[in-house]
């Protein structure tokens, strides 16, 4: 099948890639760029483990064609930490014991990252509703919700500091 050329910004770097029209974003991230943080669970939009941010929104990378992301800006879990310290969401998931096997964690954190960036006021309910798109078989949602609330507070304090 004829390949198409795309240009995508991933975690701050531009990549020019040749993809098949049917290639999914998750495959290009994992197989071409070696970014394996986004996980394939169901492969059909049900579990959220493949969540990344595309142009600031949480998307399921198993449902997005790489060609659809042409020109776009993608953030994956690997690009979340900006300095020497982990991102506040990463720190909070650890400090609130919101991780067990960790399979759902990258997707859940990237869903939370988009939520925090796009919503000024977060409540326990709004976070719980948003995270319900990410299936977690081990930890449940109480601890991740607490972690997201903590990270949102920490980020707000950093901005106001
Ligand atoms: S692998 Fe994408 S939603 Fe499950
Ligand atoms: S921590 Fe295991 S699936 Fe969520």
């Amino acid at each position: 099948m004829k390949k198409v050329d795309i240009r995508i910004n991933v975690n701050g770097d531009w990549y020019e890639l040749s993809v098949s029209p049917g290639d999914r974003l998750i495959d290009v991230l994992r197989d071409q760029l070696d970014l394996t943080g986004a996980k394939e669970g169901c492969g059909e939009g049900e579990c959220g483990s493949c969540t990344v941010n595309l142009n600031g929104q949480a998307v399921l990378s198993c449902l997005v064609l790489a060609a659809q992301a042409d020109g776009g800006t993608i953030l994956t879990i690997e690009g979340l930490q900006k300095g020497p310290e982990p991102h506040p969401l990463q720190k909070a998931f650890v400090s609130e014991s919101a991780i067990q096997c960790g399979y759902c964690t990258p997707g859940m954190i990237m869903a939370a990252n988009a939520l925090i960036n796009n919503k000024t006021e977060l409540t326990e309910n709004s976070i719980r509703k948003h995270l319900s798109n990410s299936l977690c078989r081990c930890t449940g949602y109480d601890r991740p919700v607490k972690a997201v609330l903590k990270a949102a507070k920490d980020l707000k304090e950093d901005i106001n500091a």
Side-chain angles (χ1 to χ4, degrees), residues 118-129:
N118 290 319
K119 219 167 167 20
T120 44
E121 288 303 324
L122 289 180
T123 62
E124 200 172 317
N125 274 348
S126 67
I127 295 170
R128 192 173 288 275
K129 194 166 164 216

Side-chain angles (χ1 to χ4, degrees), residues 120-154:
T120 44
E121 288 303 324
L122 289 180
T123 62
E124 200 172 317
N125 274 348
S126 67
I127 295 170
R128 192 173 288 275
K129 194 166 164 216
H130 193 73
L131 291 191
S132 67
N133 295 327
S134 298
L135 297 185
C136 177
R137 291 167 303 168
C138 319
T139 315
Y141 294 90
D142 290 350
R143 288 167 187 264
V145 168
K146 273 192 195 138
V148 176
L149 272 174
K150 179 173 181 352
K153 188 169 163 274
D154 291 348

Side-chain angles (χ1 to χ4, degrees), residues 98-105 108 135-140:
I99 306 169
Q100 286 187 54
C101 80
Y103 199 85
C104 69
T105 308
M108 206 179 263
L135 297 185
C136 177
R137 291 167 303 168
C138 319
T139 315

Side-chain angles (χ1 to χ4, degrees), residues 1-4 19-22:
M1 190 180 289
K2 197 172 179 297
K3 297 262 186 181
V4 289
V19 301
S20 294

Side-chain angles (χ1 to χ4, degrees), residues 15-61:
Y15 295 89
E16 292 182 6
L17 303 168
S18 183
V19 301
S20 294
D23 283 351
R24 305 170 308 166
L25 182 58
I26 187 171
D27 299 324
V28 169
L29 292 172
R30 292 178 60 89
D31 301 340
Q32 291 202 38
L33 301 183
D34 287 331
L35 296 169
T36 54
K39 304 276 185 282
E40 175 141 16
C42 64
E44 51 190 31
E46 298 291 340
C47 74
S49 63
C50 63
T51 304
V52 299
N53 293 174
L54 171 60
N55 299 328
Q57 303 298 322
V59 298
L60 301 171
S61 61

